[in-house]
Amino acid sequence: MDQGRQCCSTHLIDGDGTFNVSGMDTFMKEVKLAERGLSYAVVSIMGPQSSGKSTLLNHLFGTNFREMDAFKGRSQTTKGIWMAECTGIEPCTIVMDLEGTDGRERGEDDTAFEKQSALFALAVSDIVLINMWCHDIGREQAANKPLLKTVFQVMMRLFSPRKTTLVFVIRDKTRTPLENLEPVLREDIQKIWDSVPKPQAHKETPLSEFFNVEVVALSSYEEKEEQFKEQVASLRQRFFHSIAPGGLAGDRRGVVPASGFSFSAQRIWKIIKENKDLDLPAHKVMVATVRCEEIANEKLASFVSNEDWCELDKAIQTQPVSGFGKKLTSILGNCLSEYDMEATYFDDGVRSAKRKQLKEKLLQLVQPAYHSMLGHIRTETLDKFKEAFDKALSGGEGFSVAAHNCTDCFMTQFDEACSDVIIQQANWDSSKVREKLQRDIYAHVAAVRAAKLSELTTLYEKKLNEALSGPVEALLDGAGEDTWPAIRKLLRRETESAVSGFSVKLFSFDVDEQTKCKMIASLEDYARGVVESKAKEEAARVLIRMKDRFATLFSQDSDSMPRVWTGKEDIRAITKMARSASLKLLSVIAAIRLDDDDDDNIEKTLAVALVDTRSGATTNKSITSDDPLASSTWAEVSPSKTLITPVQCKSLWRQFKIETEYAVTQAIAAQEASKRNNNWLPPPWAIVALVVLGFNEFMTLLRNPLYLGVIFVGFLLVKALWVQLDISGEFRNGALPGLLALSTKFLPTVMNLLRKLAEEGQKPATTDPQSNHPLAARSHQSGVTNNGDFSSTGSSDVTTSENGSEYSSPSIHEKIKIK
C-alpha cells in the first residue's frame, strides 16, 4: 500500500481505449511532474502476454503493477496501459506497462490495439523495453517477430521521430552466452526492419537512424530468483541519470516539457485513436502553443490580481507615484520571469511568440497607468511653470528672458521626471506628452504675452486719451485760425512720446519687427481716433457751442464785463461780430484737419453763403443749383474727414439765427427803453409850439398858481390810473378787448386808489418830505437791468412799458410827498 502511494500507479488508458484525464491530472499533481521541466524520462515495456513484463517493472523500478499468478494459469493481467513513477531513481522516471500482445482475450481486435499502444509508447517514451523469451531468438515463428514488425510499422507513421532506445530484455536466459545470442538477435531485428515496407523517403534509411538498440539478458525469475534480482539491480543502475549525454535516454530532441506531458499524451492518443498519422514535430509545436498560452494566461491573471500592481494602479488615478517606473518594471519583470521559467523547455518559436503576446497584453494593461503618470507629471510641471513664470514677471524680470528661462528649466524637470516613469519592458516614447506640455507652455506664454501687451496698450491708450481729450476739447471750444495746427502739434507731440515709451516696453517682449510696427501703428491710429472722436463729439453739439460763443461776445464787452445797453452801442456791428465768430467755430468743426496738407475753403464758403449780404446770399435763400451749400460734401475734403456737411451747416445756421434773434431783439428794446428814459424833454418843435400856443395859458398860471397845483394832482391821478389799469397792456390784444377789460377794472381801481389815499391820510407825518427824494431816485435807478428791463422795489406797483421793459411806479401818497 505504501509502495502504491509512492509510485502513484494510475490506469492511464483502459481496455476500451479511454484516456483517464482526471487520473492523469491527479498523477501529475502527486508526482509534481510539472515542476520537472525536461528532467524526466518515460520508459514503456512491450512484449507478449504473460511474459513477465509487470514483474520485471516491479523489480526494476519499485512499482506495484499487478503480476500474473502462475498457479492460476497464463492469462491477461494488464489491460490497456498503466502508468507509475519509478521510486528512488533520478531523474524522475515514468514507467508505462502496456497490455501484452497476442492475447487470446482480445481475439481479432488484438492487432489494432497492439498497434495503437505501440505507437503511443514510441511517441511518448524515451526508452522502450522489449520483453522477449530467450528461446524465440532465431526462430522464424517466434512471438517477438509480430511485435517487432508492429513497432517498425508504426514507426513509419511518425514524421521525423526522435531516436528512441530499444532495450531488448531476453528472459529466461539459457546457458548460451549473451555474446552468442546478441548477434543472432540483431540479425533477426535487421531482417524484420528490411522486410517492413517503408515510405519512399526512408527506403535506404538504416535502423540506427531511428533506434538505439541495447540487449540485456536475465535469468529465469522462477528458477534463479536471486540471480534474476542481481541482474535486475545491475540493469536498474543504467536508468540513473538516463537523460545525461550517453545515457539510455540521451536523445532529447523531441521531448515534451514535463508541464505539457499530460496534454501531449492526451492529444497523441486522440490522434492514434482517430487512425491518423502522428506528426511529432507539429504535435510538439501544438503542445507548446497550448501550454505556453495557458502559462501566459495564468501569468496575466496573476498580474491582474497582484497586490502591488492593484495598489499602484489605484494610487495613480489621483496622484503621481514616486518610483513608478521602477516598481512597474519590477512587477512586469517578475511576471515575465515566471513565464520564462515555466515555458523555457517548450519550442523556442512558440515560447517567444507567446511571451511576446503576454508582454503586449501586460503592457496594454499598464499603459493607461503609464499615461496617467505622464499626465500627472505634465499637469504638475505646467502648474509649477505658471507659478514660477508669474513670480518672475512680478519680480521685474523681462518677459522674454523669464519665458525662456522658465521654459528651459521646467522642460528639463519634465524630462527628469519622465526618466523615473520609464518601463524597461516597454519601448514607449513620451515625446508626444512632452510636445503637448511644450505646446501648453507656449500657449500660456502667448496668452500672458497677449494679456500683458493688451495691458500695456491699454495703459498707453489711456495716457493718450488723458493727454489729448481735454486739450483737444479746449482747442475746439476756442476754435480759431490756429486750432487745427495746434491740435496737429499736440497730437504729434503726445503720439511721439507715447510711441517712444511703448517701444521701450515692447523690447522686453521680444516682439518681431512686423508685429511691433503693427502695434505702434495701432497706437498712432488710436491717438488719431481720440482726436477724431472728440471732434465728432464737438460737432454733435456745435449749435450749443455757437450759441454760447454768440452769447458771450454779444452780452460782454472786450473786458468781459456785461454790456449795458445805454443807447450808444452799435448793436448791428456787435451782432455781426458775434455771428462771424460763431460761423468761424462752425467752419473749424465742420471737417477734420489732422494732416499738414489739409487745406479747404469751408470758412470762405460759409461766409459767402451765410453772412456776406453783398453777394445776395441770405439764410432764407432756397436751395438751388447755384447755392454753394446745396451739397453733401465739401470741395477738397474727403467724406471720411467731414464732420458737418454743407447742407447741415446751412440748417444749423438757420436754427442758430432763430435761437439768437431773441437776444438781439431784447438788446434793441433795452436800448430804446434806455433812450426814452434818459430823454425826458419834449422835442424842440413841441417846445416852440408850447411857447407860441400856450403863452396865454402860461400867463394865466402865473397870475393864479392854484391852477398849477390842480393840474399836478390831476396828472398824478391819471398816471396812477394808467399804471394800475395797465392800459397799454390791455390794448395789446386789440381795441375791443382792451375797452371791455378797462370797463370792468375802472371802478375797482378808482375805489382802490381812494382807499389808499384815506389810509395814507390817517398816518401822522413824521418824516421829512425831502428825505424821499433820494429813495425815489435810487428806486428808479435800481429798477434798470443790463438789458434795459426794470424791476419793482418796495411796495411800488409794477407795470410794463410799451417796449416790454418794466419799471416801478410809486404810490400817489409818495408822489404827493415828493411834490
Side-chain angles (χ1 to χ4, degrees):
M1 240 3 225
D2 294 340
Q3 191 180 20
R5 283 197 300 270
Q6 292 175 0
C7 66
C8 303
S9 179
T10 302
H11 199 183
L12 183 62
I13 300 174
D14 63 15
D16 297 328
T18 303
F19 194 94
N20 186 5
V21 178
S22 61
M24 182 65 175
D25 292 340
T26 302
F27 176 83
M28 292 281 292
K29 292 178 181 178
E30 291 181 355
V31 176
K32 298 181 180 180
L33 185 62
E35 301 174 4
R36 301 288 182 170
L38 296 179
S39 298
Y40 78 103
V42 180
V43 180
S44 60
I45 189 168
M46 292 186 290
Q49 181 177 306
S50 303
S51 61
K53 298 187 298 296
S54 300
T55 301
L56 175 61
L57 294 179
N58 289 340
H59 284 82
L60 184 61
F61 299 113
T63 56
N64 62 347
F65 295 122
R66 183 183 176 189
E67 300 178 8
M68 183 190 71
D69 189 348
F71 294 100
K72 292 182 180 180
R74 301 178 68 83
S75 62
Q76 188 181 46
T77 56
T78 301
K79 294 182 180 180
I81 302 175
W82 284 77
M83 181 174 65
E85 179 189 11
C86 299
T87 59
I89 295 180
E90 287 295 333
C92 176
T93 302
I94 306 300
V95 63
M96 291 191 299
D97 187 11
L98 276 64
E99 180 182 317
T101 59
D102 296 332
R104 61 184 175 83
E105 286 80 4
R106 282 192 179 273
E108 295 180 357
D109 293 335
D110 179 64
T111 304
F113 188 81
E114 176 186 337
K115 289 183 178 180
Q116 290 174 350
S117 59
L119 181 58
F120 179 76
L122 287 174
V124 301
S125 302
D126 302 295
I127 304 168
V128 178
L129 301 177
I130 307 294
N131 200 44
M132 60 186 301
W133 300 111
C134 180
H135 59 262
D136 284 339
I137 297 175
R139 293 171 57 186
E140 187 64 30
Q141 301 298 323
N144 63 330
K145 282 194 174 182
L147 176 61
L148 290 176
K149 284 184 179 180
T150 298
V151 172
F152 294 156
Q153 285 174 358
V154 298
M155 181 61 72
M156 296 300 102
R157 293 176 60 187
L158 298 176
F159 295 99
S160 304
R162 58 177 171 165
K163 202 170 185 180
T164 306
T165 299
L166 294 180
V167 179
F168 287 86
V169 181
I170 302 173
R171 304 292 297 276
D172 297 348
K173 175 183 170 293
T174 61
R175 292 181 179 179
T176 306
L178 181 60
E179 291 82 4
N180 296 335
L181 292 173
E182 185 174 352
V184 177
L185 179 59
R186 289 184 179 276
E187 184 179 350
D188 290 344
I189 294 171
Q190 187 63 45
K191 286 180 180 179
I192 296 171
W193 174 258
D194 294 339
S195 65
V196 172
K198 294 181 282 295
Q200 188 67 33
H202 297 291
K203 284 288 185 183
E204 304 299 329
T205 304
L207 177 66
S208 60
E209 191 72 23
F210 290 90
F211 299 103
N212 290 321
V213 178
E214 298 283 344
V215 180
V216 177
L218 298 176
S219 299
S220 173
Y221 173 68
E222 295 178 355
E223 298 176 359
K224 301 177 180 180
E225 183 177 352
E226 293 300 327
Q227 189 176 0
F228 172 81
K229 291 181 178 180
E230 290 177 0
Q231 292 170 349
V232 168
S234 177
L235 177 61
R236 177 183 171 88
Q237 294 300 319
R238 298 191 64 184
F239 285 91
F240 281 89
H241 308 293
S242 59
I243 64 174
L248 287 178
D251 186 2
R252 309 294 288 166
R253 288 176 297 172
V255 67
V256 175
S259 62
F261 179 77
S262 174
F263 176 76
S264 175
Q266 293 178 50
R267 296 293 300 178
I268 288 175
W269 182 249
K270 180 181 179 183
I271 293 172
I272 292 172
K273 287 288 288 181
E274 292 172 354
N275 198 27
K276 296 178 181 180
D277 291 337
L278 186 60
D279 187 352
L280 287 182
H283 174 76
K284 179 182 177 183
V285 172
M286 183 269 295
V287 173
T289 301
V290 174
R291 277 299 300 146
C292 288
E293 187 167 351
E294 289 178 353
I295 295 171
N297 291 336
E298 291 174 3
K299 299 311 166 188
L300 181 62
S302 175
F303 177 84
V304 171
S305 60
N306 184 280
E307 185 177 348
D308 293 337
W309 157 244
C310 292
E311 291 179 357
L312 188 64
D313 186 42
K314 183 178 180 180
I316 202 66
Q317 302 301 321
T318 55
Q319 61 185 5
V321 177
S322 178
F324 174 85
K326 291 181 180 179
K327 292 179 181 179
L328 199 51
T329 297
S330 176
I331 298 173
L332 289 173
N334 292 337
C335 183
L336 293 174
S337 296
E338 291 175 2
Y339 170 85
D340 292 336
M341 188 180 300
E342 294 187 27
T344 184
Y345 301 113
F346 289 100
D347 181 80
D348 290 344
V350 175
R351 183 179 73 247
S352 299
K354 294 301 177 181
R355 188 184 193 277
K356 183 179 180 181
Q357 291 178 7
L358 173 62
K359 183 178 177 181
E360 289 176 353
K361 290 180 180 179
L362 290 173
L363 293 180
Q364 187 176 4
L365 186 65
V366 304
Q367 193 170 31
Y370 173 79
H371 286 304
S372 296
M373 184 64 186
L374 288 181
H376 288 312
I377 295 174
R378 183 186 63 82
T379 303
E380 281 192 354
T381 305
L382 182 60
D383 292 341
K384 290 179 180 178
F385 168 82
K386 291 179 180 179
E387 182 180 353
F389 185 49
D390 293 342
K391 186 176 180 180
L393 293 179
S394 301
E397 190 172 353
F399 185 90
S400 298
V401 175
H404 182 268
N405 292 342
C406 290
T407 300
D408 289 347
C409 176
F410 285 94
M411 289 306 297
T412 302
Q413 288 187 17
F414 175 80
D415 293 337
E416 292 174 354
C418 284
S419 64
D420 185 52
V421 185
I422 292 175
I423 301 173
Q424 293 181 2
Q425 292 83 359
N427 189 24
W428 289 333
D429 186 9
S430 61
S431 60
K432 290 186 178 179
V433 181
R434 189 181 193 279
E435 290 173 1
K436 185 174 184 351
L437 172 63
Q438 200 167 38
R439 288 196 301 270
D440 291 342
I441 288 177
Y442 289 161
H444 179 71
V445 170
V448 174
R449 176 187 282 111
K452 293 293 183 181
L453 288 177
S454 178
E455 291 177 5
L456 186 63
T457 302
T458 302
L459 174 64
Y460 277 90
E461 286 179 352
K462 184 179 180 180
K463 289 182 177 180
L464 280 172
N465 190 58
E466 293 174 353
L468 293 174
S469 294
V472 168
E473 182 177 355
L475 288 171
L476 291 175
D477 185 33
E481 293 292 339
D482 59 344
T483 296
W484 283 107
I487 291 176
R488 285 197 295 269
K489 183 177 179 181
L490 173 68
L491 175 63
R492 189 179 300 109
R493 182 181 70 251
E494 295 299 335
T495 301
E496 289 176 354
S497 176
V499 166
S500 176
F502 188 65
S503 300
V504 173
K505 295 290 185 181
L506 283 180
F507 180 77
S508 63
F509 287 90
D510 196 20
V511 179
D512 60 271
E513 192 64 29
Q514 183 178 0
T515 304
K516 180 179 178 181
C517 293
K518 188 182 296 185
M519 295 182 72
I520 290 175
S522 176
L523 188 64
E524 292 174 344
D525 292 341
Y526 177 82
R528 189 181 183 98
V530 170
V531 176
E532 293 178 354
S533 176
K534 187 56 64 175
K536 290 177 182 178
E537 290 178 11
E538 293 300 313
R541 54 190 179 196
V542 65
L543 181 61
I544 298 174
R545 295 293 191 191
M546 290 170 64
K547 291 192 295 182
D548 289 345
R549 175 168 290 194
F550 178 85
T552 300
L553 295 177
F554 185 77
S555 62
Q556 295 180 1
D557 56 19
S558 58
D559 296 328
S560 298
M561 297 297 293
R563 293 184 187 275
V564 178
W565 305 105
T566 61
K568 300 178 181 179
E569 296 83 12
D570 187 353
I571 294 180
R572 179 180 297 277
I574 294 173
T575 302
K576 185 175 181 180
M577 178 270 296
R579 286 179 177 175
S580 297
S582 299
L583 186 68
K584 178 66 176 180
L585 187 147
L586 178 63
S587 66
V588 169
I589 300 180
I592 297 173
R593 305 170 180 88
L594 291 179
D595 297 322
D596 293 334
D597 56 350
D598 286 339
D599 191 16
D600 55 70
N601 295 320
I602 294 178
E603 183 179 1
K604 183 178 180 182
T605 302
L606 290 176
V608 170
L610 301 176
V611 177
D612 193 357
T613 56
R614 292 174 299 176
S615 61
T618 64
T619 56
N620 296 323
K621 180 180 177 180
S622 61
I623 299 177
T624 63
S625 58
D626 296 333
D627 190 350
L629 299 182
S631 174
S632 61
T633 58
W634 297 103
E636 301 178 357
V637 178
S638 65
S640 62
K641 296 181 179 181
T642 300
L643 296 177
I644 306 174
T645 63
V647 173
Q648 291 173 337
C649 285
K650 186 170 185 177
S651 176
L652 286 170
W653 185 255
R654 181 184 297 113
Q655 188 174 355
F656 166 75
K657 289 195 68 177
I658 291 172
E659 294 184 13
T660 57
E661 192 71 33
Y662 177 75
V664 177
T665 302
Q666 285 290 89
I668 294 173
Q671 194 176 53
E672 292 177 352
S674 179
K675 288 180 179 179
R676 285 196 301 271
N677 292 333
N678 293 331
N679 191 13
W680 54 274
L681 291 177
W685 62 268
I687 296 174
V688 174
L690 285 175
V691 171
V692 174
L693 298 177
F695 180 78
N696 294 330
E697 289 75 6
F698 180 72
M699 294 303 295
T700 303
L701 289 174
L702 291 177
R703 292 189 188 100
N704 192 356
L706 184 60
Y707 288 147
L708 185 61
V710 173
I711 292 172
F712 182 72
V713 171
F715 170 76
L716 291 178
L717 289 175
V718 173
K719 183 65 175 179
L721 286 175
W722 183 276
V723 173
Q724 292 294 327
L725 292 176
D726 189 17
I727 294 175
S728 61
E730 297 293 344
F731 280 96
R732 285 198 198 102
N733 299 323
L736 183 61
L739 291 174
L740 292 175
L742 291 176
S743 64
T744 59
K745 292 169 60 178
F746 179 77
L747 185 60
T749 301
V750 172
M751 296 300 296
N752 188 31
L753 287 175
L754 294 176
R755 187 179 64 254
K756 286 183 178 182
L757 288 174
E759 291 174 354
E760 292 293 332
Q762 292 176 1
K763 293 180 181 181
T766 57
T767 57
D768 186 4
Q770 299 299 327
S771 63
N772 286 331
H773 292 284
L775 177 62
R778 284 196 304 270
S779 175
H780 177 72
Q781 291 177 0
S782 62
V784 182
T785 62
N786 291 336
N787 55 5
D789 294 338
F790 296 87
S791 60
S792 61
T793 60
S795 61
S796 301
D797 296 326
V798 180
T799 186
T800 305
S801 63
E802 293 181 358
N803 58 11
S805 61
E806 297 178 351
Y807 63 93
S808 61
S809 174
S811 64
I812 296 175
H813 184 68
E814 291 175 347
K815 293 176 182 178
I816 293 173
K817 289 180 179 181
I818 295 172
K819 179 61 179 178

